Amino acid sequence: LTVDMPLNKEGNQSSNPAVFGVNILQLEIHLQCAQGDVVTHTAWLNRSSILYAGEDKWSVDPRVSLVTLNQEEFTIKIENVDMTDEGQYVCAVQTSSRPRTTSVHILVQVPPKIINLPRDIVVNEGSNVTLMCQASGKPEPSISWKLISSSGDLASDDEYLEIPSISRQRAGTYECTAVNDIDTDVQNVDITVNYAPTVSEGRDVGVTLGQIGVLECEADAVPEADFEWYKDDRRIFNGFGMDIMNTGSLSKLTFFNVSDGDYGNYTCVAINKLGSSNTSFLLYVVIEPTSSTLLQG
């Protein structure tokens, strides 16, 4: 950014200096002051501190340097602009006739940056949740929240998002957006809602003696449930012609060669740290038709 500052012909510093906004992402600014006439002395000042008097550098800041000094212009530059560079800059010129000054006020603008935002939150269903999003920037950024992994009906035009008695349907990714005139910053928070298992109703299964039989138990739970199988009141495990296979939310109890002793009532129990749920099954015998029963039919 180059700020071109014509001299005040009245010989006085302007009571209303021009205002320029500088985006901090622009990295450097050039302050250019017209000279004219026969100049005997010239200087750049910032808040009454001399930066350059002619070719002599008075500033100790290594970011400030001389670009051009001749009869037409006196230009300095400031590199790696930051908030400390905001303020009034004055170009003072002494000619053979009279002194003249002009000034400019630099406003340093900073893109928004979201700070101190948690990445992942884990809560139990029914908990009250408050999300807070803070952001730095100049001008001060406006902040908003929205749930982006659902219907999107949950939102806030505020740095706070209140979710009273959170349900499992409110689990998902929440997006915080900070916006100002310079840029936009977006960050996400993932909320996991834990809840106790709910087991689908068991389906009774009929199997012919000597055939394969499968009982399937499905549980909805976060975190995923562990499964236990019981025949009557006795817990059963892999082996003795049976196999228990757990895959995510599903548990399968397989009988490879159903015998008379396998028929009966079974219970599937799904358990996580928030609770448990169960459902019952009946494995019953199916009589395979014989040639005599077929003839009778």
Side-chain angles (χ1 to χ4, degrees):
L1 174 69
T2 298
V3 180
D4 192 356
M5 298 165 56
L7 285 176
N8 179 349
K9 298 300 183 183
E10 302 300 320
N12 299 313
Q13 182 175 328
S14 170
S15 58
N16 295 304
V19 177
F20 287 86
V22 179
N23 183 346
I24 202 168
L25 297 177
Q26 290 171 312
L27 298 181
E28 68 178 41
I29 55 174
H30 287 229
L31 298 174
Q32 180 176 304
C33 177
Q35 298 295 279
D37 297 333
V38 179
V39 176
T40 56
H41 298 89
T42 185
W44 269 107
L45 301 89
N46 172 224
R47 293 186 289 269
S48 76
S49 297
I50 298 175
L51 301 176
Y52 266 89
E55 293 182 342
D56 296 329
K57 182 177 180 180
W58 287 42
S59 171
V60 296
D61 191 335
R63 299 175 304 124
V64 179
S65 61
L66 177 64
V67 177
T68 305
L69 177 58
N70 56 35
Q71 289 184 338
E72 285 76 37
E73 66 174 271
F74 179 23
T75 302
I76 64 171
K77 73 175 178 180
I78 304 172
E79 299 178 284
N80 301 318
V81 176
D82 62 31
M83 291 298 296
T84 63
D85 299 316
E86 185 166 293
Q88 183 168 284
Y89 291 79
V90 176
C91 176
V93 175
Q94 176 68 54
T95 69
S96 55
S97 55
R98 63 182 185 277
R100 292 180 296 180
T101 64
T102 188
S103 62
V104 63
H105 192 93
I106 299 295
L107 291 176
V108 177
Q109 298 173 317
V110 182
K113 182 174 178 58
I114 295 172
I115 53 178
N116 300 327
L117 191 69
R119 291 301 184 195
D120 300 292
I121 297 174
V122 180
V123 296
N124 292 341
E125 190 168 40
S127 301
N128 296 326
V129 177
T130 299
L131 297 178
M132 183 176 70
C133 182
Q134 295 177 303
S136 59
K138 188 175 181 182
E140 183 176 348
S142 60
I143 295 174
S144 62
W145 279 102
K146 69 177 179 180
L147 173 58
I148 63 174
S149 55
S150 184
S151 59
D153 61 342
L154 191 61
S156 169
D157 293 324
D158 190 282
E159 65 181 28
Y160 294 98
L161 177 61
E162 303 281 350
I163 313 172
S165 189
I166 192 168
S167 66
R168 64 193 70 181
Q169 290 77 21
R170 296 299 193 190
T173 301
Y174 289 76
E175 179 183 86
C176 173
T177 303
V179 181
N180 68 8
D181 296 339
I182 309 304
D183 205 353
T184 299
D185 190 19
V186 177
Q187 290 193 25
N188 295 336
V189 177
D190 290 318
I191 296 184
T192 300
V193 178
N194 291 334
Y195 51 91
T198 303
V199 178
S200 302
E201 186 175 352
R203 184 174 61 86
D204 296 343
V205 175
V207 183
T208 302
L209 192 68
Q211 298 300 308
I212 294 175
V214 180
L215 302 179
E216 294 189 355
C217 179
E218 189 168 8
D220 179 26
V222 176
E224 286 186 344
D226 294 321
F227 293 91
E228 295 178 358
W229 285 90
Y230 294 82
K231 185 175 192 298
D232 298 324
D233 293 327
R234 178 177 55 84
R235 186 174 178 184
I236 55 178
F237 300 91
N238 285 332
F240 304 103
M242 292 183 294
D243 178 71
I244 298 172
M245 176 68 71
N246 299 329
T247 308
S249 62
L250 184 66
S251 181
K252 289 185 179 182
L253 172 59
T254 301
F255 303 86
F256 295 109
N257 184 2
V258 173
S259 64
D260 285 329
D262 293 328
Y263 295 116
N265 294 306
Y266 290 83
T267 301
C268 168
V269 182
I271 306 165
N272 72 6
K273 62 183 180 180
L274 275 76
S276 64
S277 180
N278 65 77
T279 189
S280 296
F281 302 81
L282 175 64
L283 184 69
Y284 62 92
V285 63
V286 173
I287 305 299
E288 193 173 83
T290 63
S291 56
S292 59
T293 58
L294 288 172
L295 290 172
Q296 291 174 4

